[in-house]
Amino acid sequence: MISEVQPSASDASPDAPEAGGTHTFGYVAVATLLVGLILGLGAGLVVPGLRTPGTDSVEAGFLRDMSTHHAQAVEMAMIAHTGSDTPDVITLSADIATTQQGQIGYMQAWLRDWDLSPTGTAEPMAWIPGSDGAIVNGLMPGMATPEQMATLRSATGKNLDIQFLTLMRAHHVGGVHMAQEAMDLSDNEDVDWLAESMVTAQQGEIQLIDSLLKKAQAS
């Protein structure tokens, strides 16, 4: 049997910390961690961007309203995508439906992460100061009326293209307005990023819609 060799005192490294030193280091590390946590929590109270938005916040109001706004755009785009015979309109409608459905996913996920309801009790666009006049018959800027949606669903051919492009152009103008308001009023980096991406995409699509609308009306 091989006997276990016990290290002698002379074998110990002269640089090895004593037991008491190890404990002291542990206490310092824990204290440093606690101080950092306290400072981080304090920063969240001082810096608005680090707070979780509340149910009456600009961010929550924008995400809820824009989810509803986007849902109608997706519906209009799917009507055009399945009913149009024009390749450019089919492509545009697919892009709009895909992009805006994806953005709805972002917005609803953030509301869940913030432990907020996907819908609120406030009036549409109440998160924008002085927005009362922007709501017409309960509809946010650019949204189509139930009658317009019914007419779009029954349209065919060239008439479908013109109606879709006309309604979507107005829809985008309203959406851009809402997103720009969110960029001005929100201090949440994620919401600002999403709102800015909406403005960029929809302004570009408005230019394409104008071109396609001109072609459809001239044909």
Side-chain angles (χ1 to χ4, degrees):
M1 176 181 296
I2 300 176
S3 60
E4 184 178 354
V5 178
Q6 300 293 332
S8 64
S10 60
D11 292 333
S13 170
D15 296 328
E18 297 180 1
T22 302
H23 291 160
T24 301
F25 175 80
Y27 295 145
V28 171
V30 171
T32 301
L33 180 61
L34 289 174
V35 170
L37 178 61
I38 292 170
L39 290 176
L41 291 174
L45 296 176
V46 174
V47 182
L50 298 180
R51 293 198 307 260
T52 298
T55 193
D56 296 325
S57 65
V58 167
E59 292 79 11
F62 169 67
L63 296 186
R64 289 165 175 158
D65 284 353
M66 191 57 85
S67 291
T68 300
H69 203 273
H70 270 23
Q72 189 185 67
V74 171
E75 182 180 359
M76 290 195 295
M78 291 308 299
I79 292 171
H81 187 261
T82 57
S84 177
D85 298 322
T86 306
D88 287 339
V89 172
I90 294 172
T91 299
L92 173 64
S93 59
D95 289 344
I96 291 173
T98 302
T99 299
Q100 297 209 13
Q101 188 61 52
Q103 290 172 345
I104 290 173
Y106 273 115
M107 294 187 285
Q108 293 298 301
W110 288 341
L111 288 170
R112 288 195 300 269
D113 289 345
W114 300 339
D115 293 324
L116 300 179
S117 169
T119 59
T121 58
E123 292 296 319
M125 296 181 66
W127 51 276
I128 303 177
S131 64
D132 294 346
I135 304 299
V136 179
N137 296 324
L139 296 175
M140 289 175 278
M143 292 189 69
T145 66
E147 294 75 19
Q148 288 172 323
M149 291 297 297
T151 301
L152 178 64
R153 292 187 193 98
S154 63
T156 58
K158 173 183 172 180
N159 188 33
L160 170 61
D161 291 346
I162 292 176
Q163 286 195 45
F164 166 68
L165 294 170
T166 301
L167 291 176
M168 189 58 76
R169 188 187 194 286
H171 206 277
H172 273 12
V173 170
V176 167
H177 167 70
M178 292 171 62
Q180 288 174 331
E181 290 287 350
M183 291 168 60
D184 290 340
L185 297 171
S186 173
D187 52 23
N188 182 285
E189 291 184 358
D190 290 332
V191 172
D192 287 345
W193 163 78
L194 183 61
E196 184 177 6
S197 68
M198 290 177 184
V199 170
T200 300
Q202 293 187 33
Q203 285 180 335
E205 286 172 350
I206 287 172
Q207 294 180 356
L208 177 57
I209 288 171
D210 286 342
S211 174
L212 295 178
L213 193 54
K214 185 180 296 186
K215 290 180 181 178
Q217 292 170 335
S219 62

